[in-house]
Amino acid sequence: SEDLDIAVNAITILRDVSDEAVRQSYEFIQDSLNSALDRIFSNTIRRIELKESTFRGQYPQLEIELTVEDGRVRSLKNDSGHGLMQIISLLCVLALIVITNSRRFLVIDEVLSGLSASARQIIDDILWSFTTIGFQFVISEHGFVPRGANVYPLEMKDGVSRVKNNYIEEDGIYLDGTSLLDGTKLGAGEE
């Protein structure tokens, strides 16, 4: 009876500690995402809240609730743009890597398509801040080259893609499909 009481108390303490760690993780993710969304969507409101529910009473599920102007709640999956989902997904992955202390290496394959040049520049600032804490990124993207990136443009030669050359991009390139961020127009076939 005494051993059972000790075990039950230990389980209760462990559950409470675990619940607090999960709550702090959710708060970290939510605060990080909302800070980034405030920067990207400076002229409008885009806020997320993490909500935990149970699936069929057994399995906890984490849902992201999106709040926009006038406090309206929208479905991130059905009522928001693809670009917003991509940004939130990328930032969630980065936050989870930090929380779990996993290897700080991430491959980003055309995640930022559809974003404006100014949003790409903000994402660049965010990625740059993660590099200062040891993250490394491999990015395959059209019209987005982060500042400080070691760039390897590819070319097709004899039916095989090869590295054409490589260089360090000092300033970054944030194309919006028609122009550079500074308003310089692209020539035909440039990307």
Side-chain angles (χ1 to χ4, degrees), residues 7-177:
V8 168
N9 287 336
I11 290 170
T12 301
I13 291 169
L14 288 174
R15 185 179 313 129
D16 290 346
V17 168
S18 175
D19 288 348
E20 178 61 18
V22 168
R23 187 196 62 73
Q24 288 176 358
S25 296
Y26 287 175
E27 194 173 286
F28 173 76
I29 293 168
Q30 190 171 287
D31 291 348
S32 299
L33 266 69
N34 283 327
S35 174
L37 292 174
D38 286 345
R39 289 181 61 198
I40 294 168
F41 299 100
S42 59
N43 296 328
T44 187
I45 296 171
R46 297 286 184 271
R47 308 276 306 158
I48 62 108
E49 187 176 342
L50 300 178
K51 300 276 187 166
E52 190 177 273
S53 61
T54 54
F55 181 69
R56 296 185 184 161
Q58 296 178 4
Y59 307 105
Q61 299 287 314
L62 187 61
E63 296 177 26
I64 299 176
E65 187 175 89
L66 174 67
T67 303
V68 297
E69 293 84 9
D70 301 327
R72 290 178 294 160
V73 176
R74 298 175 72 183
S75 166
L76 187 61
K77 185 176 183 180
N78 300 320
D79 298 332
S80 65
H82 180 70
L84 181 59
M85 285 182 12
Q86 294 290 78
I87 291 169
I88 290 174
S89 176
L90 172 64
L91 295 174
C92 280
V93 167
L94 291 170
L96 288 171
I97 290 171
V98 170
I99 289 169
T100 61
N101 202 24
S102 298
R103 184 156 184 210
R104 295 176 175 203
F105 181 82
L106 188 62
V107 177
I108 301 172
D109 184 19
E110 298 196 26
V111 170
L112 307 176
S113 60
L115 295 181
S116 69
S118 59
R120 290 176 184 214
Q121 189 170 23
I122 292 167
I123 293 294
D124 181 23
D125 290 343
I126 291 167
L127 294 178
W128 187 259
S129 67
F130 277 93
T131 64
T132 64
I133 60 170
F135 272 76
Q136 294 178 322
F137 300 97
V138 173
I139 301 173
S140 174
E141 194 72 52
H142 298 279
F144 173 69
V145 181
R147 66 186 150 118
N150 194 352
V151 181
Y152 295 90
L154 303 176
E155 69 178 347
M156 184 69 77
K157 192 170 186 177
D158 300 325
V160 177
S161 290
R162 295 197 170 122
V163 174
K164 183 178 178 179
N165 58 17
N166 75 304
Y167 62 92
I168 303 293
E169 175 55 49
E170 298 296 329
D171 299 321
I173 299 171
Y174 318 99
L175 304 181
D176 65 5

